[in-house]
C-alpha cells in the first residue's frame, strides 16, 4: 500500500504529468486553431497572446479546482484502439464544442493527461524505455512517476479520489481503453468509502474479450478486466450492443451480468429499459453509478466520426431517457464519453462530420456534467 501524497504533492504531480486543457496531443500545427480558440475562451485572449496559458492553469489548480464539484479531464490516447485510430483528438474537439455552446457549464477543466502516442500502459514497457521517457517528459530518469497514458490516468484518478472524495470526474477519451484506469480507481475509491456503485456501459460492442491478440488492456477488453473490481458482475449493465460475434446469452452466461441489445431497447422502449434497470440496481442496494459512454452506441447516422461506426444503433433520445431516469434514482458520480474521432470519416457515412457526432456528444456530455455538478 503506497502512502497517500499530500494535496501539494498531488498538485505538483499534475503539473508534471498533465497539461493545460487541449494540449495533451503533442503537436505544433495540427488543430492549433481549435486549441487557440479553446484557450482564448478559457483563459482570455491576452493569456494566449502573452503565452501565459500554462501559468494561469497552474494557478487554477490551487485556486479553482477545490471549488468545483464536477471536474473535466481529457485523456487524448488512442494507443489502445486498433481498427481505426483518431480518438486522441476527442478531448480537444469536444471541449471546443462545449465551450462554444455552453459557457455556463459548471465544471472545472483540470486538463489533459500527457500522452506519448506509442505508449499504452507501463506494464508493457521495459526499464530502459521507462527511464528514457521519464527523461523526455520530466527531465529525470529516477523520478517515480508513470509515463504511459493509462498508468498516469490511474495514478491521477487514485490521488484525485483520495484528495477530493466528494468530487466527480467527467472524462473525455480517447479510445475505450482509457476508461479502464478511471473506472478502476473510481470503484476502488467507492469501495473504500463504503458506497455501493454500479457501472452503466453504453456501447455497440461488448468490450468483453479477455485479451485481444495477447493484450489484456485495450478497447476490446477493458470491460472484462473491470468486472473483478465490481461487487459482482450483476453491477454491470451494458446497453446498445449489436456488433458482437456471440449471442447475448453467451456473454450473460459467461460473466453473469445484464445486457440490453439495441433491438431490445427499440422493442421495450427506453422508459421500460430504464425502469427495469432501476429495479435491478435498487435490489442490489446501489446508491451511485458510473456511466461509460462509447459514442458508437449510437447509430452511425448520429455518430459517424468514430473508429468503428455501426448501423442499427440507438438514437440520442434513448440513452438520454435512460440516463435521465437513472439520474432521478441514483447519484451519477463518475462518467466518460469516448471514441469520438473527429478527423475520421468512414466511406459509408453520409452526414456532415465531425459536426453531427460532436453535436450529439455535446448534448450527452452537457447532461452528464450538469448531473454530476448538482449537490444531492
Ligand atoms: Mn467501447
Amino acid at each position: 500500500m503506497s502512502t497517500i501524497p499530500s494535496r501539494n504533492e498531488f498538485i505538483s504531480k499534475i503539473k508534471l504529468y498533465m497539461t493545460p486543457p487541449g494540449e495533451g496531443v503533442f503537436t505544433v500545427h495540427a488543430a492549433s486553431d481549435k486549441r487557440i480558440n479553446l484557450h482564448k475562451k478559457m483563459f482570455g485572449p491576452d493569456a494566449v497572446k502573452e503565452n501565459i496559458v500554462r501559468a494561469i492553469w497552474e494557478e487554477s489548480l490551487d485556486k479553482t479546482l477545490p471549488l468545483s464539484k464536477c471536474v473535466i479531464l481529457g485523456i487524448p490516447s488512442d494507443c489502445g484502439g486498433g481498427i481505426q485510430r483518431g480518438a486522441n483528438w476527442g478531448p480537444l474537439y469536444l471541449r471546443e464544442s462545449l465551450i462554444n455552446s455552453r459557457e455556463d457549464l459548471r465544471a472545472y477543466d483540470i486538463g489533459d493527461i500527457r500522452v506519448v502516442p506509442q505508449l499504452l500502459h507501463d506494464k508493457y514497457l521495459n526499464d530502459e524505455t521507462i527511464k528514457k521517457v521519464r527523461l523526455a517528459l520530466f527531465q529525470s530518469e529516477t523520478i517515480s512517476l508513470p509515463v504511459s497514458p493509462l498508468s498516469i490516468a490511474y495514478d491521477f484518478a487514485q490521488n484525485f479520489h483520495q484528495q477530493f472524495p466528494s468530487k466527480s470526474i467527467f472524462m473525455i477519451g480517447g479510445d475505450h481503453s482509457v476508461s479502464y484506469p478511471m473506472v478502476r480507481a473510481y470503484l476502488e475509491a467507492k469501495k473504500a468509502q463504503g458506497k455501493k456503485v454500479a457501472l452503466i456501459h453504453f456501447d455497440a460492442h461488448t468490450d468483453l474479450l479477455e485479451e485481444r491478440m495477447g493484450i489484456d488492456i485495450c478497447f476490446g477488453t477493458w470491460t472484462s478486466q473491470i468486472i473483478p473490481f465490481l461487487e459482482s458482475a450483476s453491477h454491470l449493465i451494458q446497453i446498445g450492443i449489436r456488433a458482437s460475434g456471440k449471442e447475448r446469452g453467451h456473454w450473460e452466461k459467461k460473466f453473469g451480468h445484464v445486457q440490453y441489445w439495441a433491438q431490445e431497447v427499440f422493442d421495450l422502449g427506453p422508459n421500460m429499459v430504464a425502469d427495469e434497470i432501476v429495479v435491478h440496481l435498487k435490489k442490489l442496494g446501489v446508491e451511485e453509478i458510473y456511466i461509460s459512454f462509447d459514442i458508437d452506441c449510437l447509430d452511425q447516422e448520429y455518430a459517424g466520426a468514430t473508429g468503428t461506426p455501426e448501423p442499427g444503433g440507438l438514437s440520442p433520445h434513448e440513452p438520454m431517457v435512460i440516463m435521465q431516469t437513472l439520474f432521478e434514482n441514483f447519484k451519477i458520480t463518475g462518467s466518460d464519453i469516448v471514441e469520438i474521432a473527429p478527423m475520421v470519416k468512414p466511406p459509408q457515412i453520409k452526414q456532415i462530420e465531425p459536426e453531427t457526432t460532436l453535436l450529439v456528444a455535446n448534448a450527452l456530455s452537457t447532461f452528464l456534467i450538469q448531473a454530476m455538478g448538482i449537490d444531492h
Side-chain angles (χ1 to χ4, degrees):
M1 192 71 190
S2 57
T3 50
I4 297 173
S6 70
R7 175 80 54 92
N8 284 341
E9 284 166 340
F10 177 42
I11 301 293
S12 302
K13 284 206 278 188
I14 292 177
K15 290 174 188 173
L16 287 169
Y17 65 30
M18 289 174 57
T19 72
E23 286 188 18
V25 180
F26 181 66
T27 162
V28 178
H29 295 299
S32 59
D33 54 330
K34 297 260 171 206
R35 194 173 63 240
I36 289 166
N37 181 40
L38 178 71
H39 286 171
K40 278 185 179 164
K41 293 213 160 142
M42 285 187 79
F43 304 108
D46 290 347
V48 175
K49 217 186 295 164
E50 292 162 28
N51 209 11
I52 52 168
V53 164
R54 173 166 269 273
I56 299 177
W57 170 71
E58 289 192 355
E59 196 181 291
S60 77
L61 292 169
D62 293 311
K63 296 198 173 147
T64 322
L65 166 60
L67 306 175
S68 185
K69 178 124 179 21
C70 176
V71 168
I72 298 172
L73 167 75
I75 312 184
S77 164
D78 60 11
C79 188
I83 307 285
Q84 171 70 58
R85 304 263 166 106
N88 60 330
W89 290 109
L92 175 59
Y93 277 66
L94 179 56
R95 276 196 184 101
E96 209 237 359
S97 164
L98 284 167
I99 209 156
N100 284 338
S101 67
R102 307 281 320 204
E103 292 192 42
D104 61 332
L105 265 194
R106 287 191 306 155
Y108 169 71
D109 195 328
I110 199 167
D112 283 344
I113 299 294
R114 278 182 94 174
V115 170
V116 177
Q118 289 75 22
L119 307 186
L120 180 60
H121 193 286
D122 284 1
K123 73 175 186 172
Y124 301 129
L125 301 179
N126 60 26
D127 291 347
E128 193 196 342
T129 304
I130 290 178
K131 269 190 198 168
K132 279 185 146 178
V133 181
R134 277 183 181 151
L135 194 59
L137 294 183
F138 315 125
Q139 288 74 55
S140 163
E141 276 190 6
T142 51
I143 194 166
S144 65
L145 290 178
V147 296
S148 305
L150 268 50
S151 305
I152 296 175
Y154 180 62
D155 189 84
F156 165 79
Q158 258 193 325
N159 282 258
F160 183 92
H161 293 304
Q162 282 161 353
Q163 291 294 331
F164 305 107
S166 59
K167 289 189 195 301
S168 302
I169 302 173
F170 175 73
M171 183 272 281
I172 309 170
D175 75 81
H176 218 152
S177 68
V178 299
S179 295
Y180 173 77
M182 299 307 296
V183 179
R184 179 173 163 181
Y186 168 90
L187 294 174
E188 289 170 341
K190 291 298 171 186
K191 190 176 178 188
Q193 293 168 18
K195 297 268 164 59
K196 289 201 168 265
V197 298
L199 171 62
I200 313 295
H201 174 200
F202 289 92
D203 208 315
H205 314 95
T206 66
D207 298 357
L208 279 172
L209 294 173
E210 276 154 299
E211 51 179 58
R212 188 174 187 270
M213 303 171 84
I215 301 298
D216 61 351
I217 302 174
C218 70
F219 72 135
T221 65
W222 78 273
T223 312
S224 78
Q225 298 298 328
I226 215 68
I227 287 176
F229 296 96
L230 291 161
E231 193 185 320
S232 81
S234 46
H235 292 71
L236 165 68
I237 313 280
Q238 297 190 302
I239 304 164
I241 311 293
R242 60 196 181 280
S244 167
K246 303 255 173 27
E247 299 292 310
R248 169 180 169 166
H250 166 83
W251 298 114
E252 289 184 336
K253 197 167 157 220
K254 181 165 182 182
F255 291 98
H257 69 304
V258 179
Q259 288 184 338
Y260 288 93
W261 285 45
Q263 190 55 49
E264 292 175 272
V265 179
F266 299 140
D267 294 344
L268 294 170
N271 286 304
M272 176 80 90
V273 171
D275 291 346
E276 284 186 13
I277 296 172
V278 169
V279 169
H280 172 79
L281 296 183
K282 293 261 177 192
K283 252 188 226 161
L284 295 172
V286 166
E287 304 152 273
E288 301 183 17
I289 56 171
Y290 185 107
I291 295 180
S292 183
F293 204 105
D294 189 325
I295 200 73
D296 69 27
C297 160
L298 302 177
D299 191 84
Q300 62 182 17
E301 193 181 314
Y302 301 100
T306 189
T308 48
E310 304 281 358
L314 307 183
S315 73
H317 167 74
E318 284 118 5
M320 277 298 228
V321 168
I322 294 170
M323 292 198 301
Q324 179 65 44
T325 302
L326 292 174
F327 174 58
E328 284 159 15
N329 288 276
F330 309 100
K331 287 188 197 179
I332 303 173
T333 50
S335 65
D336 63 56
I337 191 157
V338 299
E339 297 285 1
I340 299 160
M343 297 191 194
V344 167
K345 189 181 187 295
Q348 75 272 27
I349 302 302
K350 303 220 167 38
Q351 65 272 20
I352 309 164
E353 290 298 0
E355 282 76 4
T356 307
T357 303
L358 287 170
L359 193 71
V360 173
N362 183 319
L364 295 162
S365 304
T366 299
F367 172 82
L368 287 167
I369 292 167
Q370 286 178 333
M372 291 198 297
I374 286 166
D375 286 304
H376 281 261

